[in-house]
Amino acid sequence: MSVPSVVPHHIAIVMDGNGRWAKRRFLPRLVGHKQGVNALRRCAQACAQRGVGVLTVFAFSSENWNRPADEVSGLMELLALALAREVPQLQKDGVRLFFVGERAGLSPKVRAGLAQAEAATAENTRLVLNVCFNYGGRWDVAQAAASLAARGEPITEASMNAAMALAHVPDPDLLVRTGGEMRISNFLLWQTAYSELYFSDRLWPDFDEAALDEAIAAFAARERRFGKTSEQVLPGHTALAPG
Ligand code: IPE
Ligand code: IPE
Ligand code: MG
């Protein structure tokens, strides 16, 4: 394992390509989603080993309700199954789980499972894993603004930051999308304002440790300027006196 020198603190991933992975093997799409859970377990472990502090993944979008009913119900069942099965391993790996998204749209059984898994892992400190489920970036911005309005608080960048669904972690340093598409698909619209973007042609079930290392290495080679000039952000830069 080659560990790149600059490891992003927070990696966000659009885990795309499960359906195509299955289709290429003449298998039902749900088999691809099951493989996707395995890829997520592997990726979370690899992130923890590399010193990544936060991993945020897009598991089910506000728009994914528009899929065929059997795929949607299959995904809900898979979530319940994964919750029951994965928590002991998350405990061993020191992973603290958060579910991020609109819970009102989920069944009481699924909601109870999410709360239980969060409570069970609440003491873990090695890696924060945010699973965005029934999440949409526009929903997040709207719910943040609505909660501030309901409390009569002014809407500022700071108050919005504090009201957003990922207020418990800093913004993502690196946003990865697998599966070859180059779009955001209503993921973290507010929080990725200055994230480095990385697109991989790999389908999510095939995204392994080597692919993660490639993404981290690409990140390490970027120059993050945050609006400044290259000279300002070079290591060892000292401001020159005018004239
Ligand atoms: C991503 O994989 C998982 C979810 C959206 C739930 P897809 O199911 O979108 O896979 P493709 O894009 O059809 O291959
Ligand atoms: C984005 O993937 C959502 C998740 C990975 C959960 P989609 O496959 O739903 O995105 P689009 O519809 O192709 O943009
Ligand atoms: Mg897709």
Side-chain angles (χ1 to χ4, degrees), residues 30-78:
L30 205 60
V31 177
H33 295 313
K34 285 183 183 158
Q35 284 299 319
V37 176
N38 296 336
L40 175 54
R41 186 191 315 112
R42 187 173 61 202
C43 185
Q45 285 171 343
C47 281
Q49 284 163 3
R50 284 154 182 75
V52 173
V54 185
L55 174 65
T56 299
V57 295
F58 206 6
F60 190 87
S61 76
S62 312
E63 289 72 29
N64 287 147
W65 293 106
N66 297 322
R67 292 194 176 194
D70 62 337
E71 182 167 349
V72 172
S73 60
L75 283 165
M76 295 299 151
E77 278 167 35
L78 184 58

Side-chain angles (χ1 to χ4, degrees), residues 14-23 29 32-33 58-61 64 67 71 75 133 177-179 181 183 203-205:
V14 179
M15 307 184 292
D16 196 20
N18 296 347
R20 278 164 285 167
W21 186 94
K23 195 173 177 190
R29 292 178 61 85
H33 295 313
F58 206 6
F60 190 87
S61 76
N64 287 147
R67 292 194 176 194
E71 182 167 349
L75 283 165
F133 199 94
R177 180 169 185 145
T178 64
E181 311 292 357
R183 54 178 175 254
L203 304 175
W204 173 247

